Amino acid sequence: MTAGTTAARAVPVEVLTDEELAILAGPGGLVVTPYLDGQDEADPVTGDAVRRTAYRGLVARGILEPPTPAALAAAVGEATVELQVREDVLSLVALRRAAQAVVAVARTTAVTQDFWYAHVVDDVVVLEQVGHDGLHRFALASATELADLVVDAAVHPECGDGSGPALALDGDGSEPPLEVVEALGSALLRSDVVIRRAEDDSPPLHGLFTGPDGAWVLTADRDADAPVTARPAPRAEVEAMLRAAVTAAVGVAPASAQGDAR
């Protein structure tokens, strides 16, 4: 799900695959890799085929320059050879790696799931939306827009106000209560929002169920044996909670708040 208001605040810059990012950025990190996770990279044949295909694609698109004969000669006996990466993509990968904070949103609807990330570096945000196909769609935005962008990503665009009693979630809380499903139907959007800074060992998690007929916030009692509950809330409260959490973690006030201050 992509909110229409997000596109107006962010500038699309590139689309890369799981396997291309594995070459450009290396292994590890917080971002999911759905396509690669489905490949048997432990198999030398499969892993080599995936890497070769990704490399050929990067070269064909002009993102990578093949190594020169001089570079190949200098790399004799070495495990790797230095590659020239197109400047805009190199800058994108460098910003992504240097993030001081990352906002991650796992979004699930009745028909699909995707993942949305905001990598914050000073006053710049690298946005990254990852589909189940392993395509990573990148965009750039100002950090002053981050709080609003998170709201757009995590809250259903036609979200209404929740009402009624709090509802206990069954099992591990992965499934919404029956009452929420009946209220929201196929419009149900579940969002799990994590805001992580480099020094955080246990970053806060905000869980939401939203749709045209209401909003519910997932809460967990301090008692580990207590069930996770879905608490109904007005849309304005949900949005204010997300904006406050992002602003507190990142330290950049929303553009609207800065405008009010002026």
Side-chain angles (χ1 to χ4, degrees):
M1 176 177 293
T2 302
T5 51
T6 298
R9 299 183 185 131
V11 179
V13 290
E14 190 57 79
V15 179
L16 298 167
T17 66
D18 282 353
E19 57 272 34
E20 288 173 343
L21 277 168
I23 291 176
L24 295 170
L30 297 174
V31 179
V32 298
T33 53
Y35 175 77
L36 279 183
D37 289 347
Q39 306 300 309
D40 184 9
E41 287 201 284
D43 182 337
V45 176
T46 301
D48 187 58
V50 167
R51 288 187 291 272
R52 285 181 178 274
T53 302
Y55 171 78
R56 285 167 55 82
L58 289 169
V59 171
R61 292 162 58 197
I63 293 175
L64 275 184
E65 288 287 338
T68 63
L72 288 172
V76 171
E78 300 293 334
T80 60
V81 60
E82 185 175 346
L83 299 174
Q84 295 296 316
V85 183
R86 200 175 70 198
E87 188 62 34
D88 60 327
V89 175
L90 182 63
S91 298
L92 182 69
V93 172
L95 282 170
R96 181 178 182 261
R97 184 183 296 119
Q100 299 140 354
V102 178
V103 183
V105 185
R107 307 186 292 192
T108 305
T109 70
V111 296
T112 189
Q113 181 180 49
D114 71 357
F115 301 86
W116 185 96
Y117 302 87
H119 310 271
V120 185
V121 186
D122 296 328
D123 59 350
V124 176
V125 177
V126 177
L127 303 176
E128 181 174 1
Q129 184 174 340
V130 188
H132 62 85
D133 53 6
L135 293 180
H136 300 242
R137 293 172 170 82
F138 288 95
L140 295 175
S142 167
T144 59
E145 301 284 1
L146 177 60
D148 290 338
L149 288 166
V150 172
V151 169
D152 285 347
V155 178
H156 193 288
E158 299 176 4
C159 177
D161 295 333
S163 61
L167 306 169
L169 275 68
D170 294 330
D172 59 2
S174 60
E175 296 296 329
L178 179 60
E179 294 88 341
V180 171
V181 174
E182 290 177 343
L184 301 183
S186 61
L188 172 64
L189 170 64
R190 173 168 183 158
S191 298
D192 294 304
V193 184
V194 176
I195 306 171
R196 179 185 290 273
R197 294 189 62 86
E199 65 275 12
D200 288 345
D201 293 327
S202 53
L205 169 66
H206 302 276
L208 305 172
F209 296 121
T210 59
D213 290 323
W216 285 262
V217 179
L218 303 189
T219 59
D221 193 274
R222 293 182 181 274
D223 182 354
D225 295 327
V228 177
T229 60
R231 175 181 60 84
R235 174 174 181 165
E237 179 185 324
V238 172
E239 293 187 354
M241 174 194 72
L242 288 175
R243 288 192 176 94
V246 170
T247 301
V250 177
V252 178
S256 56
Q258 293 181 350
D260 293 342
R262 289 194 296 269

